[in-house]
């Protein structure tokens, strides 16, 4: 099956620092998504990317859909304490409302 | 803002018992999903449902699992005879299916513990 690997597995950063995390796939996806999960809650969509090469921002978040369609990165600028959580990438193939394949997650801890 | 809701938030059951997890998807959405997340692991797809039938299911979704849309608002996941390894967070998701932004919105989850 399709595998999505995220790196790093976890990060400890200081408030105000920038963060970068990656997601790579063994196969091509047509849509890449980034979700954030707080403890005990469901994933919340942060950014969606629909075209290879696309660079999209949402406030302090920036994500890019890799040209090969096998990777994506997420950057967070000027981190704040509420950025703490687990960040998951997810890939989706073409086809109406197809399933999401989730990555292994990056756990982010922000210290003051 | 509309959201997906799930009940119960927590469920504890004995091995071999049947459980039904309930979801109310966003009202104008047409596609529904169940995912699960074993503690400390990634979110895994179980099943998708459209037009009153299963569209796709994973290897995890064996004969012990079933889904149903009993009325116009609820979407349920039934586990017929629970096993210890069914302990996980179960998330319901829904989407309108309108391309290109077929965003799936997730509920808060049901934490299932099988003893």
């Amino acid at each position: 099956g399709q595998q999505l690997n995220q790196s790093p597995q976890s990060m400890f950063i200081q408030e105000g620092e920038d963060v970068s995390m990656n997601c790579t796939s063994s196969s091509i996806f047509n849509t890449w998504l980034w979700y954030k999960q707080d403890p005990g809650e469901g994933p919340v969509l942060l950014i969606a990317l629909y075209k290879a090469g696309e660079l999209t921002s949402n406030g302090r978040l920036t994500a890019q859909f890799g040209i090969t369609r096998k990777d994506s990165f997420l950057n967070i600028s000027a981190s704040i304490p509420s950025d703490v959580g687990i960040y998951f990438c997810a890939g989706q193939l073409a086809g109406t409302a197809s399933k999401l394949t989730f990555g292994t997650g990056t756990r982010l801890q922000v210290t003051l | 803002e509309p959201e997906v809701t799930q009940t119960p938030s927590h469920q504890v059951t004995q091995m071999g018992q049947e459980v039904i997890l309930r979801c109310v998807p966003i009202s104008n959405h047409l596609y529904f999903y169940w995912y699960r997340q074993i503690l400390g692991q990634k979110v895994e797809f179980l099943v998708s449902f459209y037009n009153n039938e299963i569209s796709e299911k994973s290897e995890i979704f064996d004969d012990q699992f079933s889904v149903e849309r009993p009325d116009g608002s609820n979407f349920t996941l039934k586990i017929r005879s629970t096993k210890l390894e069914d302990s996980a967070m179960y998330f319901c998701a829904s989407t309108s299916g309108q391309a290109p932004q077929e965003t799936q919105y997730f509920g808060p989850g049901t934490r299932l513990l099988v003893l």
Side-chain angles (χ1 to χ4, degrees), chain A:
Chain A
Q2 294 143 333
Q3 302 270 352
L4 268 68
N5 293 308
Q6 286 184 244
S7 63
Q9 194 171 8
S10 61
M11 304 179 75
F12 289 83
I13 62 168
Q14 287 200 317
E15 185 178 5
E17 287 184 356
D18 297 342
V19 171
S20 184
M21 58 189 79
N22 290 318
C23 186
T24 58
S25 169
S26 57
S27 54
I28 289 171
F29 286 102
N30 299 103
T31 300
W32 282 90
L33 307 120
W34 285 91
Y35 285 85
K36 179 175 181 260
Q37 185 179 31
D38 290 330
E41 298 188 16
V44 175
L45 182 68
L46 299 174
I47 288 184
L49 302 154
Y50 300 102
K51 290 194 296 190
E54 179 180 354
L55 183 72
T56 296
S57 292
N58 178 10
R60 293 180 295 106
L61 308 179
T62 302
Q64 183 156 31
F65 189 150
I67 290 290
T68 64
R69 294 196 285 156
K70 288 186 176 184
D71 63 309
S72 176
F73 72 73
L74 174 70
N75 288 341
I76 306 172
S77 63
S79 58
I80 58 178
S82 61
D83 290 334
V84 165
I86 303 177
Y87 291 80
F88 288 100
C89 62
Q92 190 175 33
L93 292 172
T96 306
S98 58
K99 68 181 182 188
L100 299 180
T101 300
F102 279 83
T104 49
T106 293
R107 182 182 296 274
L108 179 63
Q109 298 273 26
V110 180
T111 57
L112 298 175

Side-chain angles (χ1 to χ4, degrees), chain A residues 2-4 31 33 35 37 40-45 48 50 88 92 95-105 107, chain B residues 31 33 35 37 40-45 48 56 58 89 91 95 97-98 100-109 111:
Chain A
Q2 294 143 333
Q3 302 270 352
L4 268 68
T31 300
L33 307 120
Y35 285 85
Q37 185 179 31
E41 298 188 16
V44 175
L45 182 68
Y50 300 102
F88 288 100
Q92 190 175 33
T96 306
S98 58
K99 68 181 182 188
L100 299 180
T101 300
F102 279 83
T104 49
R107 182 182 296 274
Chain B
Y31 299 82
Y33 310 82
Y35 292 82
Q37 185 179 33
Q41 298 186 22
K42 65 180 181 180
V43 178
E44 300 174 289
F45 168 77
S48 58
E56 186 177 2
S58 71
M89 280 286 279
F91 295 108
T95 180
Q98 293 176 353
Q101 298 184 8
E102 300 164 0
T103 304
Q104 293 183 22
Y105 294 89
F106 283 76
R111 185 178 295 281

